[in-house]
Amino acid sequence: MLPGPAEPLPPAPTDPGAASGPASCRIAAELGDALFATEEKPEIVRHYREAGGTGPGYAEVPLAWAESEREGARAALASFRWALTGWKVMSELPNPVNFEAATAQIREEDIRQRFACGNDPQRCLEVAGPFLQAGFDRLVLMNAGPDPGGFLDFCDAELIGRLKQLAAG
């Protein structure tokens, strides 16, 4: 989790390994100093640990902060809809035209199911919680929304403290 304003940041890993299944978890454990994943699957953390991985587990939490849910969903749909395709699809697509074709059927409602869109801290906790339950101990708050400054203000005022409480149990 994130430190508070007076707390120093923990040392950042120098070689995190991105993983999504048993083989990539073994590679991350062998060659990396941390785990990085985008899916809230407990088996990713388990495979990493079973392969000898001892570093922290980072999870990318999909958020799209905006003044409204619709604005956030539209921004994520425009720039991050590929995130809904999964690693197998993403790793096989060679160029932007293929990503465009693979994501043509993704709708705003699909984005809303996966991302926390808008400015509701409770929805952000609902999206982040499964990553913590899966065993990840560091959350990377990825904002696909249109206003980075507003997102940072929201995190500071509304979200970080609640995430810490959620992580503490």
Side-chain angles (χ1 to χ4, degrees), residues 13-18 25-35 48 52-55:
T14 56
D15 256 336
C25 286
R26 282 192 302 275
I27 293 169
E30 180 181 334
L31 302 176
D33 61 354
L35 170 66
Y48 175 71
T54 59

Side-chain angles (χ1 to χ4, degrees), residues 10-138:
T14 56
D15 256 336
S20 62
S24 57
C25 286
R26 282 192 302 275
I27 293 169
E30 180 181 334
L31 302 176
D33 61 354
L35 170 66
F36 189 90
T38 60
E39 296 174 295
E40 63 274 60
K41 296 179 179 177
E43 58 269 22
I44 295 173
V45 176
R46 182 173 44 81
H47 289 308
Y48 175 71
R49 298 288 179 223
E50 288 173 354
T54 59
Y58 289 82
E60 183 178 274
V61 180
L63 308 174
W65 188 89
E67 289 296 329
S68 72
E69 181 184 30
R70 186 171 189 191
E71 183 183 5
R74 284 183 170 180
L77 181 66
S79 59
F80 277 86
R81 66 182 172 272
W82 51 267
L84 273 65
T85 63
W87 273 110
K88 180 62 178 160
V89 173
M90 287 189 284
S91 67
E92 298 294 330
L93 297 174
N95 56 51
V97 71
N98 299 106
F99 275 95
E100 190 69 36
T103 61
Q105 301 303 315
I106 293 176
R107 304 159 300 163
E108 276 184 47
E109 62 192 70
D110 301 320
I111 293 288
R112 283 190 192 99
Q113 288 176 4
R114 178 84 175 124
F115 282 69
C117 298
N119 58 12
D120 179 3
Q122 186 58 41
R123 176 65 180 138
C124 294
L125 296 177
E126 290 168 6
V127 171
F131 289 98
L132 294 169
Q133 292 166 359
F136 292 97
D137 50 8
R138 303 283 195 281

